[in-house]
Amino acid sequence: VQLQASGGGLVHDGGSLRLSCAASGFIFTSYLMTWFRQAPGKEREFVAAINGNGRITDYADSVNGRASISRDNSKNTAYLQLSSLKPEDTAVYFCAAKPQTAILYTRPSSRESKYWGQGTLVTVSS
């Protein structure tokens, strides 16, 4: 099982990035994909999630309207498009996979995620 996150980098305030999370070793469509982030000195926090068929998306208030999560099940890859980036978005972004066992969607927590990527650093300069 592997989740490979990529796409991070250094951008200026107001810039955009697209993060990717390539998955292998499990049935991708059976998993809810989530992006979390952790800023220096802070706890890991939820950013966005998408269900297995891509029809349900969920965003943290802090990125709502500036982020778009998607997935390409033919490529076993999830994406997070970030725009209008702010210095406070600086963090290591992690993708995670949670088995989609419930009929109704609930926002996944870190503890519920079974597989994790290694993280990709996003730095937003002012």
Side-chain angles (χ1 to χ4, degrees), residues 45-103:
E45 64 176 2
F46 170 85
V47 178
I50 187 168
N51 76 332
N53 62 17
R55 293 177 183 172
I56 298 174
T57 58
D58 183 21
Y59 298 94
D61 289 344
S62 58
V63 300
N64 199 17
R66 301 188 298 117
S68 178
I69 189 170
S70 61
R71 63 192 295 159
D72 185 338
N73 287 340
S74 70
K75 297 181 178 179
N76 284 3
T77 302
Y79 304 96
L80 182 67
Q81 177 73 44
L82 298 169
S83 59
S84 301
L85 283 161
K86 308 172 183 179
E88 51 263 44
D89 293 316
T90 294
V92 177
Y93 285 71
F94 299 90
C95 60
K98 172 194 168 185
Q100 190 169 296
T101 56
I103 295 175

